Amino acid sequence: AGTVGKLGLAWSFDLPAGHSASQPIEADGTVFIATGHSDVRALDAATGALKWLWESRAAELSGRKLRQ
């Protein structure tokens, strides 16, 4: 409680338009988030830099079925 006033934003990461994010999870210095159509991004927990992106291609592969 005594240090809460010192809290602040360390970094942010902008997602592409239309990509909502799931709850992030951190492991071994990497923050993982699933976004959009099940795309997964790994971010450096200290800097917010993108480490890698895995694109599921869910929208492309499912076609109209995803939109129903």
Side-chain angles (χ1 to χ4, degrees), residues 6 8 12 15 19 21-22 26 29 31-34 46 56 60-61 64 67-68:
K6 296 179 183 179
S12 64
L15 297 172
H19 283 251
S22 67
E26 186 274 339
V31 175
F32 299 92
I33 55 173
S56 69
E60 175 187 336
L61 295 173
R64 292 184 50 82
R67 294 166 192 73
Q68 293 179 356

Side-chain angles (χ1 to χ4, degrees), residues 11 22-34 40-43 45:
W11 54 264
S22 67
Q23 188 67 27
I25 187 168
E26 186 274 339
D28 297 324
T30 300
V31 175
F32 299 92
I33 55 173
V40 178
R41 287 172 172 76
L43 310 173

